[in-house]
Amino acid sequence: MTHTVEKIGGTCMSRAPELVDALFLHDKDAVYNRIFVVSAFGGITNKLLEHKKTGSPGIYARFANDDSGAGWVEALRDTADAMCATHADILTHDGDRERADAFVRDRMEGARACMLDLQRLGSYGHFRIDQQMMTLRELLSGMGEAHSAFVTTLMLQRHGVNARFVDLSGWRDEENPSLKDRLTQAMAGIDLSAELPIVTGYAQCSEGLMREYDRGYSEVVFAHLAALTSAQEAIIHKEFHLSSADPKIVGVEAVRKIGRTSYDVADQLSNLGMEAIHPNAARVLRRADVPLRVKHAFEPHDPGTLIGPEGGAPNRVEMITGLPVQAFEVHEPDMVGVKGYDATILEALTRHNLWIVSKQSNANTITHYIDGSLKALRRAEQEVLKAYPNAEISTRALAMVAVIGSDLSDVAVLGRGLQALDDAGLRPLAAQQGLRRVEVQFIVPRDAMEDAVKALHDALVTDAESKKPATKLKAA
């Protein structure tokens, strides 16, 4: 096949008018033979569900926690206003704005009717609406992607593009197909050589995407669509390059575009909260032998970074990143030689939905480095103490700084990294390197994370790159 499947994230979608020339029409001879999967406009999913970072409640969270109904009804109205304000800034023709307004009204009224019906059912003791809450969460979430896809289609049609709105959200659909069937049915009859499909990043299906992937569903849909259609390449458009570090920490002039790397590296980044792509989506593409490219949406002529089986150049540090973590340390002198401690701790952490970034252990101590709330961690601690009342459990706010590359076999990252931190006056609390040689982790005090990233980047990237020609990144 000669087509590509391309995904646009929410932040880029909010700059949709700029994307017309930068992404959709930058090459007049290559407008078609592409499929675009779009996320909701920036901030809309937060209003539909809850704020991803702060936890501030949106429509869903207010409905789940507010029996009176006043809170979620007001949130629904505010979200509809926000959606209409968003597309009013994007669409230039009054007729297009009116169609988009009507689209939002239809979806919001439909959602409101469903939620009122659920509320009525909940007033009867025979019905438990909590069993339908995940379905409601999926319905609300899918409205964001449906809105952005519809608006983008109108915008492109106004620019003379034969764009086609492809709605996977299952709106008013009585069927409940599998994801594969949903995608197959949606793409049937589309002529990629003459049409530009704008596809919703959410797909209603029997698997229940939010239950499995929560907000990572759009990348999973994108990956399955690329695999199903045997795409030549899968492309993710972001508002920045996939680079060697955060430019805000090390400086724009210091960072380097990665250029080429492996799915193994993408998995390490995902584990540290810097998703180049959702790990499940990466698995789908890897199995289908579809290469992934991460590009800067507003620099269309730059090839970006290719992620594939070939990986990056050996003996090169590709990225250095940091993540605030909680060190959950269980010390029990009676642990040595006894099985079961590790499994018990793991079950408690899993039960409270705590993300395990890494772990270390010795004869009588097991330490997990956790990304999650302190409240959930305290609950897990109580469970472990019930099983092992003599254990000493401590929790500390620390940071993990990771040095990542496709093949670090001969880079001596551990030794050079420790020296770089010492030269910067930083003392790591722990460090570890796996046998696979794709990542080295340094544990440092929380307030030293950014200084550690900069020190390691200076020593392992900047100094290394200064010995050979390198292309600096443009400011995003």
Side-chain angles (χ1 to χ4, degrees), residues 61 128 187 309 311 316-318 342 354:
R128 294 183 56 83
M187 297 306 297
R316 178 176 74 112
V317 171
E318 295 172 2
D342 204 359
L354 290 158

Side-chain angles (χ1 to χ4, degrees), residues 162-470:
N162 188 20
R164 179 165 173 173
F165 172 49
V166 180
D167 188 1
L168 303 178
S169 69
W171 187 251
R172 303 190 189 283
D173 188 349
E174 297 180 359
E175 297 181 359
N176 190 31
S178 67
L179 177 58
K180 180 179 179 181
D181 288 343
R182 173 72 72 188
L183 295 174
T184 301
Q185 293 167 12
M187 297 306 297
I190 296 179
D191 181 3
L192 294 179
S193 67
E195 295 179 273
L196 186 64
I198 307 299
V199 185
T200 59
Y202 167 77
Q204 186 274 333
C205 58
S206 58
E207 291 91 332
L209 295 185
M210 287 213 73
R211 186 181 297 108
E212 185 74 19
Y213 309 112
D214 199 49
R215 294 205 189 182
Y217 57 78
S218 62
E219 291 187 353
V220 174
V221 170
F222 153 78
H224 277 280
L225 186 56
L228 182 68
T229 60
S230 301
Q232 183 182 51
E233 199 168 76
I235 303 173
I236 293 180
H237 297 281
K238 295 181 176 289
E239 69 276 15
F240 50 79
H241 281 294
L242 196 59
S243 57
S244 57
D246 186 344
K248 295 178 182 177
I249 296 176
V250 305
V252 173
E253 294 300 314
V255 294
R256 301 291 186 270
K257 183 181 68 180
I258 292 179
R260 195 180 192 95
T261 191
S262 65
Y263 279 115
D264 204 348
V265 166
D267 289 343
Q268 310 312 314
L269 296 179
S270 178
N271 188 51
L272 290 160
M274 282 193 63
E275 288 190 1
I277 184 172
H278 192 283
N280 296 88
R283 187 179 303 116
V284 170
L285 293 175
R286 186 168 52 229
R287 290 175 176 173
D289 198 25
V290 176
L292 170 68
R293 190 179 298 275
V294 180
K295 297 187 66 174
H296 192 309
F298 303 99
E299 295 181 13
H301 298 292
D302 192 302
T305 294
L306 182 67
I307 302 175
E310 302 85 1
N315 305 320
R316 178 176 74 112
V317 171
E318 295 172 2
M319 179 176 281
I320 299 172
T321 186
L323 177 70
V325 295
Q326 298 284 347
F328 185 73
E329 184 179 80
V330 179
H331 172 73
E332 167 63 278
D334 295 336
M335 184 186 301
V336 58
V338 179
K339 297 179 180 179
Y341 282 85
D342 204 359
T344 300
I345 297 169
L346 180 60
E347 287 175 5
L349 295 174
T350 302
R351 189 174 298 112
H352 292 283
N353 200 31
L354 290 158
W355 181 261
I356 301 170
V357 181
S358 185
K359 65 175 286 188
Q360 293 174 330
S361 64
N362 58 28
N364 55 21
T365 305
I366 299 174
T367 304
H368 287 85
Y369 297 106
I370 304 295
D371 181 17
S373 73
L374 191 58
K375 183 179 180 180
L377 205 55
R378 293 302 185 201
R379 290 174 177 170
E381 178 181 341
Q382 293 305 312
E383 285 195 23
V384 176
L385 282 173
K386 282 184 181 179
Y388 306 113
N390 295 324
E392 297 177 10
I393 301 179
S394 63
T395 303
R396 285 194 286 174
L398 300 173
M400 175 179 292
V401 178
V403 180
I404 304 169
S406 297
D407 181 3
L408 301 176
S409 299
D410 297 320
V411 188
V413 169
L414 186 58
R416 291 169 61 196
L418 290 170
Q419 184 62 56
L421 294 174
D422 186 64
D423 291 345
L426 302 171
R427 179 175 296 179
L429 303 174
Q432 63 180 358
Q433 174 178 277
L435 294 177
R436 192 168 173 79
R437 294 297 194 270
V438 294
E439 180 185 31
V440 179
Q441 299 170 347
F442 299 91
I443 306 299
V444 299
R446 179 74 62 86
D447 60 4
M449 184 178 77
E450 291 192 0
D451 289 338
V453 169
K454 190 175 188 308
L456 291 168
H457 192 273
D458 287 345
L460 300 173
V461 176
T462 304
D463 288 352
E465 290 292 321
S466 66
K467 298 175 183 178
K468 60 183 180 180

Side-chain angles (χ1 to χ4, degrees), residues 3-304:
H3 75 277
T4 58
V5 175
E6 311 186 23
K7 179 185 177 297
I8 311 174
T11 305
C12 291
M13 286 300 299
S14 295
R15 299 169 61 182
E18 298 174 58
L19 293 175
V20 173
D21 291 327
L23 183 57
F24 294 111
L25 299 178
H26 78 94
D27 185 349
K28 302 293 185 182
D29 296 324
V31 173
Y32 301 106
N33 287 310
R34 295 184 292 172
I35 302 171
F36 281 94
V37 177
V38 299
S39 296
F41 292 117
I44 295 299
T45 304
N46 288 338
K47 290 181 174 295
L48 290 165
L49 303 179
E50 66 281 320
H51 198 288
K52 189 174 183 180
K53 294 183 178 179
T54 67
S56 177
I59 298 171
Y60 172 82
R62 288 184 184 276
F63 182 83
N65 300 315
D66 184 4
D67 292 334
S68 69
W72 69 262
V73 171
E74 182 180 349
L76 192 146
R77 185 165 50 247
D78 290 345
T79 302
D81 291 342
M83 294 169 80
C84 289
T86 297
H87 67 239
D89 290 336
I90 293 170
L91 301 173
T92 58
H93 194 277
D94 288 342
D96 292 339
R97 292 195 185 103
E98 290 174 4
R99 289 184 64 189
D101 287 346
F103 183 89
V104 171
R105 282 197 304 271
D106 176 64
R107 298 291 170 120
M108 284 296 181
E109 280 302 313
R112 180 175 174 274
C114 288
M115 295 166 77
L116 287 172
D117 287 343
L118 279 176
Q119 216 168 37
R120 291 190 194 100
L121 283 174
S123 66
Y124 296 90
H126 296 79
F127 297 95
R128 294 183 56 83
I129 66 171
D130 58 324
Q131 298 173 357
Q132 299 297 325
M133 290 305 290
M134 183 54 70
T135 302
L136 175 63
R137 186 174 176 84
E138 296 224 4
L139 181 146
L140 288 171
S141 183
M143 290 167 63
E145 279 78 16
H147 173 240
S148 63
F150 184 76
V151 171
T152 302
T153 302
L154 292 178
M155 178 186 69
L156 291 174
Q157 289 173 346
R158 187 60 57 181
H159 283 81
V161 177
N162 188 20
R164 179 165 173 173
F165 172 49
V166 180
D167 188 1
L168 303 178
S169 69
W171 187 251
R172 303 190 189 283
D173 188 349
E174 297 180 359
E175 297 181 359
N176 190 31
S178 67
L179 177 58
K180 180 179 179 181
D181 288 343
R182 173 72 72 188
L183 295 174
T184 301
Q185 293 167 12
M187 297 306 297
I190 296 179
D191 181 3
L192 294 179
S193 67
E195 295 179 273
L196 186 64
I198 307 299
V199 185
T200 59
Y202 167 77
Q204 186 274 333
C205 58
S206 58
E207 291 91 332
L209 295 185
M210 287 213 73
R211 186 181 297 108
E212 185 74 19
Y213 309 112
D214 199 49
R215 294 205 189 182
Y217 57 78
S218 62
E219 291 187 353
V220 174
V221 170
F222 153 78
H224 277 280
L225 186 56
L228 182 68
T229 60
S230 301
Q232 183 182 51
E233 199 168 76
I235 303 173
I236 293 180
H237 297 281
K238 295 181 176 289
E239 69 276 15
F240 50 79
H241 281 294
L242 196 59
S243 57
S244 57
D246 186 344
K248 295 178 182 177
I249 296 176
V250 305
V252 173
E253 294 300 314
V255 294
R256 301 291 186 270
K257 183 181 68 180
I258 292 179
R260 195 180 192 95
T261 191
S262 65
Y263 279 115
D264 204 348
V265 166
D267 289 343
Q268 310 312 314
L269 296 179
S270 178
N271 188 51
L272 290 160
M274 282 193 63
E275 288 190 1
I277 184 172
H278 192 283
N280 296 88
R283 187 179 303 116
V284 170
L285 293 175
R286 186 168 52 229
R287 290 175 176 173
D289 198 25
V290 176
L292 170 68
R293 190 179 298 275
V294 180
K295 297 187 66 174
H296 192 309
F298 303 99
E299 295 181 13
H301 298 292
D302 192 302

